[in-house]
Amino acid sequence: MPSSASPVLHWFLPTGGDGRDPGGVTAVQGRTAAATRRGAGLGYLAQVARAAEQAGFEKLLTPVGLGCADPWVLTPAVAAVTERIGFLVAFRAGLSRPTLVAQQADTFRRLFGDRIALNVVTGGDPAEQRAYGDHLPKDERYVRTGELMRVVRALLDGDAVDLAGRHVRVEDARLHEPSVESPVPLYFGGASPEAEEVAARHAEVQLLWGEPPAAVAERVARVREKAARAGRTLRFGIRLHVITRDTAAEAWREADRILAGFDPEAVRVSQERFARMDSTGQARMTALHGGSAEDLTVSPNLWAGIGLVREGAGTALVGSHDEVARRLFEYGRAGIDEFVLSGYPHLEEAYRVGEEVAPRLRALTEAAEAEANGAEADGTRTDGAGTDGAGTSRARTDGAGTTGTEAAA
């Protein structure tokens, strides 16, 4: 974690429905009853938002897709019944014109101040893209995304823009008296080389899915180097599910319960659909488990079971509150600045993660900062020895010499 930086924690708003179990929530994949037994109405989503706000999270990620409520309609409604929490509003780069996106974001910040950030989604499922009427191939989608981000960034900064790109063409585009005192950062996800180039040149925060810390550190270093060549710096975020309990045994029992509830046919159909996607990130998620439930612990406390049925972010940190906090701290040491977390169901787990994991993570960060400052004061150097390493052992616990569900917290 960057020195003198507190961990930034965000939560997920389940706008496709919620429940105790993960599963399909998209219209293309099919909707799993257990994953959507709590409907995505304003009443319930407002409950989740207020819980996340009370638990101390900074922003709520509002996803975009055929199975979700439209984020531009939903988020202002939720913002109106909350006080502080911000919104990381996802939108698909191919479905909206950049001037309109900038105008929508500027209107939001006029009404609610600095409570908005944008999550730019290129799209990795050709079937869903075609359902939206978008038929561009993957490489061209990224060209379009970069052009759109360039225009949106400039407009939100108060500039006038002329651009004649391959896909985006605007003339004398500008916002009327934009509310520039409230910045709107651009978040962006993608794991392909094309995506990394877009992130390096146009994003403020690059979002990753939850791979083992060593793999995350490698990707962070690569994108950071690309950004430096472009004369830029950027922050990094990671999207993870969390299954945290008072003891490791309780947490792994919950993971086992979730796994036992998966319909083998639903797993098979989901994996076939994921294999047809052209998303590099989805391919990396699938590679962690290979479609099999036999070996799902891919790094200490990192469990790939959710990815058997859920597209996108498919890994969860599983363990005691202390273990989960230590794993998040490791990701911070690997270069992660922000964490977009979720748990099933999102209402109850917002309180659990906010009240139990977040204070432990802050304590680890503060202790590391104090150690670093003390070492600097006496002229010595610390490399974080004594903290958990970013190993890739497939043990279910924190690598303290025990395995299985009965490991000490």
Side-chain angles (χ1 to χ4, degrees):
M1 205 161 293
S3 60
S4 302
S6 298
V8 178
L9 302 183
H10 311 299
W11 195 242
F12 183 81
L13 196 62
T15 63
D18 198 13
R20 291 184 63 205
D21 304 282
V25 297
T26 69
V28 173
Q29 179 182 1
R31 298 172 66 78
T32 305
T36 57
R37 63 183 61 181
R38 299 184 187 180
L42 179 58
Y44 179 68
L45 294 176
Q47 281 186 287
V48 176
R50 285 192 289 261
E53 183 173 69
Q54 184 173 348
F57 292 96
E58 183 167 308
K59 293 185 182 70
L60 288 161
L61 171 60
T62 57
V64 64
L66 284 174
C68 305
D70 179 76
W72 283 116
V73 175
L74 177 69
T75 49
V78 179
V81 296
T82 53
E83 297 178 359
R84 173 198 56 81
I85 198 161
F87 296 86
L88 179 50
V89 181
F91 72 95
R92 290 187 183 263
L95 306 182
S96 299
R97 298 299 184 184
T99 307
L100 176 60
V101 171
Q103 185 181 28
Q104 290 170 316
D106 187 52
T107 300
F108 194 106
R109 67 181 174 181
R110 284 173 178 270
L111 297 175
F112 301 107
D114 62 353
R115 295 171 63 188
I116 184 172
L118 295 177
N119 180 26
V120 187
V121 178
T122 300
D125 180 359
E128 189 171 35
Q129 293 298 119
R130 291 192 297 270
Y132 274 119
D134 183 8
H135 296 269
L136 278 186
K138 177 182 177 178
D139 56 347
E140 288 299 313
R141 292 202 302 270
Y142 278 111
V143 173
R144 179 178 60 192
T145 297
E147 292 175 352
L148 178 141
M149 292 176 73
R150 176 180 170 185
V151 174
V152 170
R153 174 76 281 144
L155 291 174
L156 289 171
D157 289 343
D159 299 330
V161 183
D162 289 281
L163 178 65
R166 291 220 303 257
H167 302 285
V168 175
R169 299 181 182 181
V170 297
E171 296 180 8
D172 195 27
R174 64 186 71 210
L175 299 179
H176 176 65
E177 297 181 356
S179 182
V180 294
E181 64 274 10
S182 297
V184 181
L186 299 182
Y187 288 63
F188 173 76
S192 67
E194 299 92 338
E196 291 181 350
E197 289 295 335
V198 171
R201 293 180 178 277
H202 302 290
E204 275 79 59
V205 182
Q206 165 75 339
L207 288 175
L208 313 178
W209 285 334
E211 298 180 77
V216 167
E218 179 182 347
R219 290 191 58 199
V220 166
R222 185 169 61 246
V223 177
R224 185 173 283 153
E225 182 179 351
K226 291 181 178 181
R229 290 200 297 267
R232 304 183 69 246
T233 60
L234 67 160
R235 293 168 60 83
F236 293 87
I238 195 166
R239 176 81 179 90
L240 283 162
H241 305 285
V242 175
I243 302 174
T244 183
R245 296 294 186 270
D246 292 339
T247 67
E250 291 176 272
W252 283 109
R253 280 197 295 269
E254 177 64 8
D256 291 339
R257 182 199 67 78
I258 289 173
L259 182 62
F262 290 162
D263 180 357
E265 178 63 12
V267 172
R268 185 190 66 79
V269 171
S270 296
Q271 293 304 307
E272 287 181 353
R273 174 173 173 258
F274 300 161
R276 292 192 295 269
M277 294 182 180
D278 59 8
S279 165
T280 300
Q282 183 64 59
R284 293 174 73 104
M285 284 286 98
T286 300
L288 292 177
H289 53 70
S292 170
E294 295 302 315
D295 195 8
L296 293 172
T297 306
V298 297
S299 180
N301 300 100
L302 186 65
W303 184 67
I306 290 176
L308 292 173
V309 295
R310 185 193 190 280
E311 70 175 270
T315 52
L317 289 177
V318 182
S320 69
H321 307 314
D322 287 319
E323 288 174 344
V324 171
R326 287 198 295 269
R327 299 287 87 81
L328 292 173
F329 181 77
E330 284 182 6
Y331 280 112
R333 285 295 177 93
I336 296 299
D337 305 283
E338 304 186 20
F339 302 88
V340 184
L341 305 176
S342 57
Y344 297 92
H346 291 77
L347 175 60
E348 291 89 332
E349 294 305 307
Y351 285 118
R352 195 193 307 268
V353 175
E355 293 171 356
E356 300 291 351
V357 176
R360 289 168 165 84
L361 177 58
R362 285 194 296 270
L364 288 170
T365 304
E366 291 166 2
E369 290 178 357
E371 181 182 359
N373 291 337
E376 184 177 340
D378 65 15
T380 62
R381 176 181 174 274
T382 178
D383 60 359
T387 63
D388 292 312
T392 57
S393 164
R394 304 180 81 84
R396 291 183 69 159
T397 70
D398 62 355
T402 54
T403 60
T405 59
E406 298 304 319

